[in-house]
Amino acid sequence: MTYPLIIIGAGIIGSALAEACAHRGLHPTVLEAGIPSGGTTAAGMGHLVVLDDNPAEMALSRDGLQRWRARRGSLPTEVEYRECGTLWLARDGAELEEAERKALRYQAEGLPCRLLNARELAATEPNLTTTLAGALQVPGEAVIYPPVAGRYLLDHAITLGATLLPGTRAVSVEESGAVWLDDGRCLLAERIVIAAGCASTALLPGLPLAPRKGQLLITDRYPAYVRHQLVELGYLHSAHSSDADSVAFNVQPRATGQLLIGSSRQYHDTSSQIDWALLQRMLQRAFDYLPGLHALQGLRAWCGVRPATPDKLPLLGRAPGHERVWLATGHEGLGITTALASAELLASLLADERPTLDPTPFDPARFAARSTVPAPVKAEAS
Ligand SMILES: Cc1cc2nc3c(=O)[nH]c(=O)nc-3n(C[C@H](O)[C@H](O)[C@H](O)COP(=O)(O)OP(=O)(O)OC[C@H]3O[C@@H](n4cnc5c(N)ncnc54)[C@H](O)[C@@H]3O)c2cc1C
């Protein structure tokens, strides 16, 4: 038997892709080695946010947000979709100017937002430090609970005709369409999509992908302690800084009344252990913005690894040098937001449709000159 389409990995990206492909009658079969959406997706924060560092990032995140918003009425309660909006916080006049520039970029794209002065900000979020200069409020942004959202997309894909092969680990793929499994079996597919997050490099060595670790801490329940997702304007600098370990203030009100506190970025430590010194830096940053936070009860801290490409844009399209092997990975810190947009884009390409977004900035071929074209040989399970 030859499978029409095998998707390797059932994180939020593979699950959203399976849904979009099943919707088009492409009959995807999803291989998942662990728990669906139990990898990076389960470690993520679930902020649905438009980032505007470059036009491609803005287009993909905006499309992703719009697609989540369009589905808000049909998402199960457990997905915890809440349109709390984002406040981008400005510490001083310079950051306020940045907030103004950001407002112009958002407004040019038709994204509603408004500038708050210090007094309006204090009235909106009374637990913030009173030393802030103001904020940019983006009301249409939202939060969801990523592992449940991912599982929901996968279940929906199955109702549309997708098949899940649980507990199935791929160890290598070949241009012939062969997918070798860790139990020695070989599945044949007309096309293969690697959506294995950070583990994608094990299947296609040489991919321009590196794990970028992040840590989060969740508190006990303090309903309405903050009402918006709060992010410092310096966050983008942290998210896009190339190499150094960094922290940025990022706090989210969960549907449970808990506060989810982020965030950190690290390339060099990819262990699954908490880096306590970095966590302390992250919390200190949070206390600077929310001084009362130190008196609240923290419950649990965890970490996860973001699959990061050198330009922080995902890899969506044919793997360089391959006809049958495709990629849906590299979503760094935006994969929850962009899952539905990436899925639509790639499913359109797989179905020979014209995608609504320009696929060029996400084409894996953009790195082809820099990366080794992987040799299609069978490897051992890692
Ligand atoms: C701390 C942190 C905070 C974040 N916050 C946000 C946020 O607020 N907003 C946002 O938009 N994004 C956020 N992200 C980013 C987001 O979580 C990721 O971009 C997204 O989850 C990536 O999904 P994925 O499906 O590519 O990877 P994964 O979720 O890792 O899924 C890959 C799947 O593939 C499976 N797999 C791997 N290898 C194999 C194999 N060989 N065979 C079969 N199956 C395999 C794995 O078991 C896994 O289930 C955050 C990430 C982190 C770490």
Side-chain angles (χ1 to χ4, degrees):
M1 162 185 186
T2 301
Y3 293 87
L5 175 64
I6 284 183
I7 298 174
I8 303 175
I12 199 160
I13 300 300
S15 300
L17 180 64
E19 188 197 47
C21 288
H23 182 69
R24 286 167 170 80
L26 299 180
H27 304 291
T29 299
V30 186
L31 314 187
E32 171 53 53
I35 298 168
S37 286
T40 297
T41 299
M45 212 177 194
H47 183 200
L48 304 182
V49 56
V50 176
L51 294 187
D52 57 344
D53 194 54
N54 60 67
E57 179 186 66
M58 188 161 190
L60 194 70
S61 54
R62 181 162 180 257
D63 190 51
L65 175 68
Q66 278 175 342
R67 289 181 188 280
W68 282 114
R69 281 172 58 100
R71 295 177 69 159
R72 65 194 143 175
S74 59
L75 296 172
T77 321
E78 300 74 38
V79 170
E80 296 180 4
Y81 178 95
R82 288 172 69 237
E83 233 162 80
C84 58
T86 306
L87 284 178
W88 289 93
L89 305 173
R91 279 175 306 183
D92 50 30
E95 288 195 355
L96 208 50
E97 283 173 19
E98 175 51 28
E100 286 163 9
R101 286 191 291 272
K102 199 172 176 61
L104 291 176
R105 289 193 294 272
Y106 282 20
Q107 283 157 0
E109 293 293 324
L111 201 70
C113 61
R114 104 183 157 101
L115 289 161
L116 304 184
N117 63 28
R119 191 176 41 79
E120 290 166 326
L121 177 59
T124 307
E125 289 288 0
N127 284 314
L128 279 170
T129 174
T130 51
T131 60
L132 295 172
L136 178 68
Q137 185 179 35
V138 190
E141 296 186 336
V143 302
I144 55 173
Y145 186 39
V148 176
R151 185 65 223 206
Y152 162 73
L153 295 175
L154 182 63
D155 288 345
H156 192 224
I158 292 167
T159 65
L160 294 173
T163 305
L164 170 68
L165 299 184
T168 306
R169 179 178 296 279
V171 292
S172 73
V173 298
E174 295 178 1
E175 180 47 30
S176 63
V179 178
W180 290 92
L181 307 183
D182 64 350
D183 59 9
R185 282 184 300 145
C186 179
L187 308 181
L188 278 180
E190 283 166 23
R191 286 181 297 182
I192 303 161
V193 181
I194 300 176
C198 288
S200 301
T201 47
L203 295 167
L204 223 46
L207 282 182
L209 201 62
R212 205 173 184 198
K213 184 171 168 178
Q215 304 190 148
L216 298 174
L217 182 142
I218 196 155
T219 69
D220 209 342
R221 296 171 189 236
Y222 303 97
Y225 191 84
V226 301
R227 298 180 180 86
H228 296 77
Q229 176 100 21
L230 304 175
V231 193
E232 67 165 285
L233 270 159
Y235 174 83
L236 273 182
H237 177 68
S238 159
H240 292 281
S241 71
S242 55
D243 216 12
D245 294 358
S246 61
V247 296
F249 172 69
N250 191 343
V251 162
Q252 178 178 97
R254 298 292 322 161
T256 52
Q258 294 170 285
L259 301 175
L260 184 53
I261 305 171
S263 63
S264 66
R265 280 179 154 81
Q266 276 176 295
Y267 274 121
H268 304 296
D269 172 6
T270 54
S271 73
S272 55
Q273 307 298 310
I274 295 287
D275 177 334
W276 294 104
L278 196 70
L279 188 72
Q280 197 172 9
R281 259 178 71 193
M282 193 182 92
L283 288 177
Q284 189 51 57
R285 191 84 180 163
F287 299 156
D288 291 346
Y289 282 83
L290 284 171
L293 200 60
H294 73 274
L296 307 188
Q297 182 68 46
L299 289 186
R300 192 167 73 86
W302 67 89
C303 50
V305 280
R306 307 170 180 93
T309 62
D311 62 6
K312 313 297 181 295
L313 295 176
L315 304 169
L316 299 170
R318 271 203 178 85
H322 290 259
E323 276 299 310
R324 289 177 192 261
V325 183
W326 296 62
L327 295 168
T329 186
H331 287 75
E332 220 270 6
L334 258 186
I336 311 301
T337 306
T338 55
L340 300 180
S342 291
E344 276 301 309
L345 190 153
L346 194 59
S348 301
L349 295 176
L350 287 162
D352 273 334
E353 295 166 10
R354 192 190 171 89
T356 48
L357 291 182
D358 176 9
T360 319
F362 314 107
D363 187 343
R366 70 192 187 275
F367 295 115
R370 281 183 259 166
S371 66
T372 345
V373 175
V377 292
K378 186 180 172 195
E380 294 307 311
S382 55

